[in-house]
Amino acid sequence: MTAADAGSWQADDEEPRGPVGKAFRLSAADSLSLGNALCGFLAVCVLASSAIQALKAGDGFLPDPRYFATAVVLLLIGATCDLFDGLVARRFRASAMGAELDNLADVISFGFAPAFMVVIWGGFTGKLPLTAVIVAAASVLIAGCVRLARFACVKTKSGDFMGLPIPMGAMTVVSIVLLFQPNWFSLAAVLGVAWLMVSRIEYPKPKGQLAAVVLAWIMINVACLTAWAAWPQGGDTLIQVGATMQIALVAAIPLRVLFFKREQRKERKESAGVD
């Protein structure tokens, strides 16, 4: 063993330095992140219970829509926690593991839960091959993981999000599930959302009035879903409107970016011609 090896061996045995004790202290923002993770877990439990009840009934795999409504309400509550944890961390204080907790919670609520919902929605109806549905669901989960990892490593010059934020991506996948029957078109739409999450398209970060608008949108969706669950005959229209608005919003932003870049290229060409 060389002296360098001995030194590295001793370094590995040394006690960790720094304020290790502070890493175990949860802040108010961390409580919101854990609430987000809990909502995602409960949403998966509700969806699994829906599948079990449908199989016990023996009438084929037709999950009760109210279970889906409950799961989506839980995910929207998780999204509210995710919206506020950063605000609370900036206003008060953040713990040493706040960012890691936030990402882990997002993987559960906005990665695994919507992917599991896609499997329950289209995997056992006989309308689509199970393998194709699992591939689409896995793409949502993998894209969400890549999106979160990239967010921690890459910062845009404008401060906006690069790629569709994972909470918005999850809500768009949920909107597709609520709005459409399982078919190849809707499955392609799910894959499209996964692609948007890992794309280079910049999405505006909710700040100030925009954050208030996002919160109001979440509250309106919770109200619509609650009405849908409690009043299925009249609630369908509400959830269809909400889901359509969500899909339209996510689709409109890339189109806006595309037109904006086209205008920029046109202005550069015109300025170069003048010079």
Side-chain angles (χ1 to χ4, degrees), residues 138-194:
S139 70
V140 172
L141 176 60
I142 292 172
C145 292
V146 172
R147 172 69 184 77
L148 290 170
R150 190 174 66 183
F151 174 74
C153 301
V154 179
K155 302 298 180 183
T156 60
K157 294 180 180 179
S158 62
D160 293 333
F161 295 115
M162 181 183 291
L164 181 66
I166 186 172
M168 189 177 290
M171 291 302 107
T172 308
V173 169
V174 167
S175 297
I176 293 169
V177 168
L178 295 178
L179 201 57
F180 300 105
Q181 292 294 321
N183 54 51
W184 289 108
F185 171 79
S186 53
L187 207 64
V190 170
L191 290 170
V193 174

Side-chain angles (χ1 to χ4, degrees), residues 58-73:
D59 298 327
F61 195 87
L62 295 172
D64 190 337
R66 297 189 184 189
Y67 284 92
F68 278 81
T70 304
V72 177
V73 168

